[in-house]
Amino acid sequence: MAGKFSLKLSSMVAEKNRKWWALGAMASCISMMMIDQTVLPLALPTIQRNLHVSDLALQWIINAYMLGVAAFVLAGGRLADLVGRRFIFCLGSLIFAVASALGGMSPNATWLIASRALQGLGGALMGPATMAIIIDTFAVGQRGKAIGVYVGAGALFLSLGPLIGGILTNYASWRWIFWINLPVSLVGIFLAL
């Protein structure tokens, strides 16, 4: 009798915690997307010197990401509904990670602009799926708290981006502002699965 109770209790705890693991995965996603928007501007002068980038190309390095998100966000939401939200979230996170790795290895401006556009595609797949997953995972009474944690994580990393970007650019390399997304993405995928 005690064994059955213990098994039932452990499955209830696991089910109870499952939604918080999902929220952790979604918070890692929004953190990665937000930090990516604010970490780059501090590194632009260093990137310009190292890759011999024109001022116009610098603008495209920033805008390619936003263009990628804007162009594919509606398709990302629809694909999440058709194929599955968790699958599209994981696919978007994987694309974002691969694009970040490519951005960190950029030998020239064209490569970096293309990797930023690919990051935008990954963000467009992740973004709509994250909110849908949170809404599906949490009951109505807990949704506000979950969305608050999600948005709070995004706001925190949006504000930490310049600090992290400055530290990485000064003490490591501008390439680390892209490579830092790899472990965050892997953690998000692991938690989602």
Side-chain angles (χ1 to χ4, degrees), residues 5-192:
F5 177 74
S6 175
L7 182 61
K8 186 175 182 177
L9 181 62
S10 68
S11 69
M12 284 176 24
V13 170
E15 186 63 35
K16 181 181 174 186
N17 289 333
R18 179 185 232 173
K19 61 186 168 193
W20 298 107
W21 288 107
L23 181 59
M26 301 309 109
S28 73
C29 160
I30 192 71
S31 300
M32 185 170 56
M33 290 172 63
M34 290 296 145
I35 201 170
D36 201 65
Q37 292 179 25
T38 57
V39 76
L40 182 64
L42 282 165
L44 287 176
T46 306
I47 292 170
Q48 187 172 30
R49 280 192 309 273
N50 287 354
L51 298 182
H52 310 290
V53 176
S54 70
D55 289 339
L56 180 62
L58 283 181
Q59 292 174 6
W60 273 107
I61 290 169
I62 292 174
N63 292 335
Y65 174 77
M66 298 307 286
L67 186 60
V69 170
F72 295 107
V73 72
L74 292 176
R78 185 67 179 139
L79 278 172
D81 288 339
L82 291 174
V83 178
R85 293 175 178 132
R86 184 170 56 172
F87 174 76
I88 293 299
F89 168 79
C90 290
L91 178 64
S93 192
L94 182 64
I95 290 171
F96 198 94
V98 168
S100 295
L102 292 172
M105 295 185 294
S106 296
N108 56 47
T110 304
W111 181 298
L112 187 52
I113 291 167
S115 69
R116 292 283 291 160
L118 190 59
Q119 271 185 321
L121 171 62
L125 293 175
M126 284 188 295
T130 58
M131 190 56 74
I133 289 171
I134 291 172
I135 289 170
D136 285 349
T137 304
F138 286 88
V140 174
Q142 293 181 319
R143 239 178 245 158
K145 181 178 180 179
I147 292 171
V149 169
Y150 172 77
V151 171
L156 174 66
F157 281 93
L158 187 67
S159 63
L160 286 176
L163 174 67
I164 294 169
I167 289 170
L168 290 174
T169 302
N170 281 336
Y171 298 109
S173 166
W174 65 266
R175 296 177 187 280
W176 279 100
I177 66 172
F178 295 103
W179 292 335
I180 198 165
N181 292 330
L182 299 174
V184 176
S185 178
L186 293 176
V187 166
I189 292 170
F190 173 75
L191 292 175

